[in-house]
Structure formats: structure tokens, C-alpha cells
């Protein structure tokens, strides 16, 4: 956006915070997340000490309130988000259930008097949860179907869960999505498309897109000594469902049933492992039991009422390597009306995703630009030509953390990836790195 190097120097010098003015020492364990209110007057902090603290963001920062979540069996608080009018705070945490099973829970706190208004279960805990509008929030649940096949259900919850009437839904099922190969839905967030037309970002991606005629997306490595740009191959996304060839008019299901019968009666030895067989059956099942997408995401002229539910998912392994996008239609934005299942045919068991972005690596962070048009994604890449034969053994991940930018209007990657951070944890210990995006900076 700068027109000269002098302007750019001034912008960096004037607006990058570089002087520590205050140290807040009220937490007594790791601080995991900070979130600011939309007005900027308040912020909330989550920590492994199992409290959420709410601070007043004056010249001299002061603690307004602290909620200890340990009495509710929480292990720690991990994430928070203010609703659009800053009247409520969503707090997400890790909950210790029976037999030490690790699940999650979401609590809603009133900003008026800091009372706890409601709590909803959230599984797995790294769904985190998010606001859909001022009074409704989204949580997740997970149901096992097989050893590596499961089903994620996304729920719409009222923030106020007092019993008004037996005819009013407090919760409603939004979507039900099948997960293959040990993957699950995590990190849900909502993009409001009505904000696209008043962009806050200064970068003009259209021009940048026109200027880059190459098909590869170069990577700037800000962390290494080398100044050369590394070329990054364009990834072709794997199809989520492999088409099975039909043999002479025999339906694939019939062929599969015959194969099962042969295996069970010992006539043939299965050529596939148990895991591969389960995935093949799940793919067949989901192909015939999935409600098709409502509309083409890119075909609508009016974005005024559209919202996108965005989350990490996968189809090859348990580590999140895809971004799933599902349009939320106006009638789905309230807990009123029929719950899921009442309005669908019995053979439409699962919902399909409207769009999938393949990252070819382990996704470790996502954030939206202030205008909700651009999705920023942190990832650690897999080796270029890796093949995943066991979903429980994902490929090794790179130490470099790549930052990608996707335009949610065109669903394309639009900005060269930046590399500034390194991480050394292996796949199974790899944790989330939250990002936040302002008009000028990504933190």
C-alpha cells in the first residue's frame, strides 16, 4: 500500500508495537490465547491456570474480572471470542470427563455482570467454537462409526439456555459430516460475506493476481539466511471420494457385498488391510447417503445474507490438511424450526461440503481479515511426493511455518506464502498457533 520506501518506513516505525509498557502477571501458568472486544475497550485471556480473565484496555490496563473454571471439571481455558456487540464472551476449554476422556466445553459469560449464562459440550476440544450471530454459537460433537471412521455434528446453541417453553429449541443440529481415515472437524469459524464490499485491507489482490502469470506460488523464507525464493509446486487436491469402476452394469454396492461374502466364507483372502477396507466401505456409504450441496458457492450475486462456516478437516489422515467450507443459509441461522433429520430424506444421512481447499501439510492456525474476505492459514508442509498408506502415520512435517492467504470470494490462493516462524514439534505433538489479522499486520 505504501507509495514510497519513506512512507513504508514511517508506517512500520509508527505502528509496530516495539516498547513494552506493562507486564500483566495475574495468570500463574501459560497464557494460551488473547481476544479483544470489537470496540477495543476490553480483552480476555485464557490460560492453563484454568481461568479466563477480562481486562479493561485503558492507558493503564486493569483486571475487571476472573472466572475460575476448575469447579466445572475443566483442565484449562484455551480460547475466547466476544460476540458482535461485545455483550457476551464465549470461552472454550478442555474438560475432563469420565475415565479421563478429554473432551471440551464452551461457556458463555455476560459482560454486564460477569455471570455464567450457559455451558455446552464441545468435542473434540479443538473445535474451539465460535459465534454465528449475537446470541447463537456453534459447537461440535464427534461420534465414532468404526476404528478410523467417525461423524462430526455441528450444533447451533442459544447463548441463554433458560427454559422459555417446551416448544422452543435451545440447540439445533446444523450439519452432520462423515470423517474418513481418522480425520475430524476442528477450528470452526464463521465468515460474514456481507462485509466483502467494504474491504479493510489495503492490499489490492486483483492486481497482484494479474501480475503473477506463473502457476506456482513462490515462498518467501523470512527465517533462513538464503535470499532466494523457493518455488512451491501447485498441489492438486485429492478427490475426497474415489470413484469405483462399475463392472458390466453391476452396482458397486453389490460387488462389495459379494466381496464381503467371499471374505467371510473364506473363498478369497482380502487384498486390502482392515483400515483400507473400512475406508472403502465408508466411502461407498457416504456416496449414497449424502445430501448434495445446496448451491455453487461462487455463483451467487448477492452476498448480503450469506455466511460461511470454515473449519479444518481431512480425508487421508488424522492431521488436519484441508479447509472445509459450508454455506450457512438464512433459515439455518436460528434454533427455531425443525431440527436436522425432520426435513431430510432417510437416504440423505450426511451433509456434503460446499468447497474444500487442500493444503498438503498440517494446518496449525487460521484467521480472518477484518473484512472477512481473506482467510490466513498457518501450515507446516508435507514432503512434495509423499504417499500416505496408513492414516495413523501422517507424513513428517516441515520445520518452516508457511502463511497462506485465500480469497473467499474466488476460493483461490492469492498471496505468496510467507515464512517467518519455525517449529520443531513432531506431528502428534503439533499444536495450534493462533493468528490475528488487522488492516496492516498479521500477528
Amino acid at each position: 500500500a505504501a507509495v514510497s520506501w519513506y512512507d513504508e518506513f514511517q508506517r512500520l516505525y509508527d505502528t509496530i508495537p516495539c516498547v513494552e509498557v506493562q507486564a500483566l502477571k495475574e495468570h500463574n501458568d501459560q497464557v494460551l490465547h488473547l481476544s479483544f472486544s470489537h470496540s477495543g475497550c476490553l480483552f480476555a485471556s485464557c490460560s492453563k491456570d484454568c481461568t479466563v480473565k477480562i481486562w479493561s484496555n485503558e492507558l493503564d490496563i486493569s483486571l475487571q474480572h476472573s472466572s475460575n473454571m476448575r469447579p466445572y471439571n475443566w483442565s484449562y481455558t484455551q480460547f475466547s471470542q466476544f460476540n458482535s456487540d461485545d455483550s457476551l464472551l464465549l470461552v472454550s476449554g478442555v474438560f475432563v470427563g469420565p475415565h479421563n476422556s478429554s473432551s471440551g466445553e464452551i461457556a458463555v459469560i455476560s459482560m454486564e455482570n460477569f455471570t455464567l449464562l450457559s455451558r455446552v459440550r464441545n468435542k473434540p476440544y479443538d473445535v474451539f467454537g465460535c459465534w454465528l450471530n449475537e446470541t447463537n454459537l456453534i459447537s461440535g460433537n464427534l461420534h465414532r462409526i468404526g476404528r478410523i471412521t467417525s461423524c462430526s455434528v455441528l450444533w447451533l446453541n442459544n447463548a441463554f439456555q433458560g427454559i422459555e417453553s417446551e416448544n422452543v429449541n435451545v440447540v439445533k443440529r446444523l450439519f452432520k459430516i462423515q470423517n474418513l481415515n481418522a480425520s475430524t472437524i476442528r477450528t470452526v469459524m464463521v465468515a460474514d460475506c456481507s462485509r466483502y464490499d467494504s474491504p479493510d485491507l489495503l492490499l489490492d489482490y486483483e492486481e497482484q493476481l494479474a501480475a503473477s502469470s506463473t502457476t506456482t506460488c513462490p515462498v518467501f523464507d523470512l527465517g533462513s539466511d538464503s535470499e532466494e525464493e523457493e518455488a512451491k509446486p501447485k498441489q492438486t487436491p485429492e478427490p475426497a471420494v474415489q470413484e469405483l469402476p462399475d463392472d458390466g452394469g453391476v452396482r458397486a454396492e453389490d460387488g462389495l457385498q459379494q466381496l464381503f461374502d467371499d471374505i467371510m466364507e473364506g473363498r478369497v483372502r482380502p487384498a486390502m488391510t482392515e483400515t483400507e477396507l473400512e475406508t472403502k466401505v465408508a466411502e461407498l456409504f457416504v456416496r449414497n447417503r449424502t445430501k448434495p450441496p445446496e448451491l455453487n458457492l461462487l455463483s451467487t450475486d448477492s452476498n448480503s445474507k450469506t455466511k460461511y462456516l470454515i473449519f479444518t478437516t481431512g480425508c487421508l489422515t488424522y492431521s488436519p490438511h484441508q479447509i472445509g467450507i459450508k454455506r450457512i443459509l438464512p433459515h439455518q441461522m436460528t434454533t427455531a424450526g425443525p431440527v436436522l433429520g425432520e426435513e431430510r430424506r432417510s437416504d440423505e444421512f450426511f451433509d456434503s461440503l460446499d468447497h474444500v481447499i487442500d493444503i498438503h501439510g498440517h494446518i496449525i492456525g487460521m484467521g480472518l481479515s477484518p473484512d472477512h474476505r481473506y482467510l490466513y492459514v498457518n501450515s507446516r508442509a508435507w514432503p512434495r511426493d509423499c504417499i500416505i498408506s496408513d492414516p495413523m502415520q501422517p507424513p513428517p512435517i516441515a520445520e518452516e511455518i508457511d502463511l497462506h492467504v485465500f480469497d473467499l470470494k474466488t476460493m483461490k490462493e492469492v498471496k505468496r506464502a510467507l515464512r517467518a516462524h519455525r517449529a520443531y514439534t513432531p506431528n502428534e505433538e503439533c499444536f495450534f498457533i493462533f493468528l490475528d489479522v488487522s488492516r496492516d499486520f498479521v500477528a
Side-chain angles (χ1 to χ4, degrees):
V3 294
S4 69
W5 284 111
Y6 178 75
D7 280 5
E8 179 67 357
F9 171 76
Q10 202 167 26
R11 179 178 79 97
L12 295 174
Y13 191 84
D14 291 347
T15 56
I16 287 186
C18 52
V19 178
E20 182 188 296
V21 291
Q22 201 173 341
L24 309 173
K25 299 183 177 177
E26 278 81 350
H27 282 294
N28 54 37
D29 206 332
Q30 291 177 48
V31 178
L32 300 177
H33 186 249
L34 282 182
S35 66
F36 281 82
S37 64
H38 295 81
S39 67
C41 298
L42 298 169
F43 66 92
S45 55
C46 293
S47 164
K48 283 203 169 173
D49 67 10
C50 208
T51 67
V52 55
K53 298 190 189 297
I54 297 156
W55 311 79
S56 172
N57 193 24
E58 304 296 325
L59 198 58
D60 199 35
I61 293 167
S62 58
L63 182 63
Q64 298 293 295
H65 175 75
S66 178
S67 284
N68 180 14
M69 302 304 291
R70 229 177 268 289
Y72 304 105
N73 270 10
W74 285 29
S75 309
Y76 55 87
T77 59
Q78 60 174 359
F79 172 80
S80 66
Q81 188 182 52
F82 288 85
N83 70 342
S84 55
D85 63 6
D86 295 336
S87 60
L88 303 171
L89 180 70
L90 171 158
V91 182
S92 168
V94 176
F95 170 93
V96 182
H99 317 298
N100 287 332
S101 65
S102 186
S103 186
E105 200 166 77
I106 295 170
V108 177
I109 296 172
S110 162
M111 288 296 95
E112 192 182 346
N113 51 15
F114 302 120
T115 52
L116 186 65
L117 298 176
S118 61
R119 284 162 44 219
V120 297
R121 193 58 58 85
N122 187 41
K123 185 178 179 180
Y125 60 83
D126 50 2
V127 168
F128 293 114
C130 66
W131 290 105
L132 174 63
N133 50 39
E134 283 88 348
T135 56
N136 293 110
L137 56 124
I138 294 171
S139 65
N141 201 357
L142 187 67
H143 304 282
R144 295 257 161 241
I145 296 174
R147 196 175 69 86
I148 57 164
T149 311
S150 65
C151 164
S152 285
V153 180
L154 295 166
W155 289 88
L156 187 62
N157 309 269
N158 276 351
F160 311 94
Q161 300 211 338
I163 299 166
E164 299 160 29
S165 144
E166 64 213 31
N167 301 319
V168 176
N169 294 326
V170 174
V171 298
K172 184 166 94 169
R173 277 185 290 183
L174 258 185
F175 305 118
K176 189 173 185 178
I177 293 160
Q178 190 186 37
N179 306 311
L180 299 173
N181 288 320
S183 65
T184 65
I185 284 177
R186 304 169 174 166
T187 324
V188 297
M189 53 177 59
V190 170
D192 182 352
C193 307
S194 64
R195 294 160 74 167
Y196 287 177
D197 297 327
S198 50
D200 294 307
L201 288 186
L202 300 174
L203 298 159
D204 188 341
Y205 289 120
E206 301 287 331
E207 286 180 18
Q208 196 173 36
L209 212 56
S212 65
S213 55
T214 52
T215 52
T216 56
C217 178
V219 177
F220 257 162
D221 193 338
L222 304 183
S224 76
D225 301 328
S226 164
E227 290 182 4
E228 292 172 32
E229 287 187 14
E230 298 175 45
K232 191 174 174 193
K234 194 177 183 183
Q235 298 300 339
T236 50
E238 296 273 335
V241 176
Q242 302 282 323
E243 290 294 327
L244 291 182
D246 287 345
D247 292 329
V250 178
R251 288 171 64 237
E253 291 86 335
D254 300 339
L256 194 74
Q257 187 59 55
Q258 182 63 53
L259 175 66
F260 284 152
D261 295 343
D262 289 345
I263 291 169
M264 295 309 287
E265 289 166 26
R267 286 194 291 271
V268 297
R269 198 176 286 268
M272 292 182 264
T273 64
E274 226 175 287
T275 301
E276 288 168 333
L277 201 59
E278 182 181 317
T279 299
K280 198 57 83 181
V281 174
E283 284 177 347
L284 263 177
F285 183 78
V286 78
R287 195 167 65 184
N288 295 292
R289 296 286 186 275
T290 299
K291 194 176 176 183
E294 305 274 351
L295 297 159
N296 177 359
L297 277 188
L298 306 177
S299 65
T300 50
D301 297 325
S302 164
N303 284 321
S304 57
K305 294 219 172 108
T306 307
K307 290 187 178 180
Y308 291 156
L309 186 63
I310 298 170
F311 43 82
T312 63
T313 180
C315 63
L316 303 172
T317 174
Y318 69 83
S319 66
H321 58 276
Q322 291 178 323
I323 297 161
I325 298 176
K326 184 77 184 158
R327 184 202 300 271
I328 306 174
L329 298 169
H331 72 271
Q332 295 170 318
M333 295 187 195
T334 167
T335 51
V339 290
L340 179 84
E342 289 174 14
E343 82 286 0
R344 64 174 59 203
R345 304 201 315 264
S346 59
D347 59 342
E348 293 180 339
F349 197 71
F350 297 113
D351 290 286
S352 54
L353 303 185
D354 291 327
H355 190 76
V356 175
I357 298 170
D358 205 292
I359 296 292
H360 194 76
H362 190 132
I363 299 168
I364 55 167
M366 297 201 299
L368 285 164
S369 64
D371 59 6
H372 283 210
R373 178 160 171 187
Y374 299 100
L375 178 68
Y376 286 68
V377 179
N378 271 338
S379 75
R380 292 172 62 185
W382 289 337
R384 192 173 295 185
D385 301 317
C386 65
I387 292 167
I388 300 171
S389 52
D390 179 357
M392 304 314 288
Q393 299 286 324
I397 47 178
E399 288 178 356
E400 296 80 17
I401 297 177
D402 295 331
L403 175 61
H404 309 269
V405 188
F406 295 93
D407 184 345
L408 294 177
K409 205 165 185 176
T410 62
M411 298 295 164
K412 290 190 165 68
E413 184 164 357
V414 289
K415 193 167 182 294
R416 68 178 68 213
L418 293 172
R419 250 180 209 169
H421 290 287
R422 282 176 181 265
Y424 303 100
T425 48
N427 238 320
E428 62 277 7
E429 294 167 30
C430 185
F431 209 65
F432 209 72
I433 297 180
F434 291 101
L435 10 137
D436 211 348
V437 187
S438 75
R439 207 178 93 124
D440 292 320
F441 300 107
V442 182

